[in-house]
Each structure stands twice: as C-alpha cells, then as structure tokens.
Amino acid sequence: MLQDVTLFGVLAIAIGAIPGAVSRYYLTEFCKRAIGTNFPYGTFIINFTGCLLMGFFFTLFKGIKGFPPEIDLLVRTGFLGSYTTFSTYGYDTFTLWRNGKQGTSIFYWAGSAILAVVGIILGGYLGHLFVK
C-alpha cells in the first residue's frame, strides 16, 4: 500500500534529491582524481556514508516526537535516495533482521547483490542486441 504523501512531501523529496545526486556525482569525481580509478572508491565511500547517514537520521527523526514527516522525506527519501539507494538497501536488510526475519534478511541481502550483477549483465546483453 502506498503511503499518503502530501504535495509538500513530494516537493520535499524532489528538493532533497537534487543535492543528493549532485553530491554523489562530485564525490565520485573527487575520489577518481584524488585516489585513482583502480577501485570504485567513490561508490564505496558513498555507499558507506549513505548507510551511516540513513541509520543516523532514522534514529534521530524517530526519536523526536512531532518531527515533521516532510523533513524525513527530504533527507532520507530525497537526499539519501538520490545519493545512494544502497542506504535504503542496508536499511531494509536491517529492518528485516530486526523484525525477526533473519532468513529473509539474508536472502534479500545476498539476492539483491547477486541480482544487481545479473541485471547489469543481462541488460548489457539486451542492449547489445539493439546496437547490432
């Protein structure tokens, strides 16, 4: 079931998404120049910091009574959602585990990583069919 989000909530998501995506781009480029391209350092750092921030803001926002849900949408869904969806993946894995669904959590954790690579390979193959 979809969560009801007000127009202000949708705008909050959109406003948060812009700096999240721009931050991801510039941090990735910075890492390429500063550290090199032998390893995807930018993505690695972004995934970790996105998860760190997701955990921090989830705990902070849930711990403050009456906290405006639009701020949560702006930061977690908008900014972090465009900064890295990996933070949501980490949060969903943790939530399944915390809710006593350890088997499902492990399946989701491993299955998502495996299917992501399979999806890249399959998508590349399908795209190649259109190029020929």
Side-chain angles (χ1 to χ4, degrees), residues 16-52:
I18 294 168
V22 171
S23 297
R24 181 181 69 227
Y25 172 77
Y26 279 112
L27 183 56
T28 300
E29 292 303 309
F30 172 79
C31 287
K32 285 178 186 176
R33 289 183 183 96
I35 307 171
T37 58
N38 292 332
F39 182 81
Y41 295 104
T43 303
F44 195 72
I45 292 167
I46 287 164
N47 287 340
F48 173 71
T49 57
C51 288
L52 179 76

Side-chain angles (χ1 to χ4, degrees), residues 40-115:
Y41 295 104
T43 303
F44 195 72
I45 292 167
I46 287 164
N47 287 340
F48 173 71
T49 57
C51 288
L52 179 76
L53 291 170
M54 180 67 79
F56 174 79
F57 285 116
F58 171 76
T59 303
L60 180 69
F61 295 162
K62 297 301 177 197
I64 299 173
K65 291 184 181 181
F67 195 85
E70 291 82 8
I71 300 298
D72 185 37
L73 290 171
L74 183 138
V75 173
R76 291 196 316 129
T77 305
F79 181 83
L80 291 174
S82 65
Y83 181 69
T84 173
T85 58
F86 196 80
S87 58
T88 303
Y89 161 71
Y91 173 75
D92 289 343
T93 302
F94 169 75
T95 299
L96 287 167
W97 188 276
R98 183 184 61 195
N99 290 337
K101 298 178 180 178
Q102 285 78 18
T104 304
S105 177
I106 291 168
F107 174 78
Y108 176 73
W109 170 72
S112 294
I114 292 166
L115 285 178

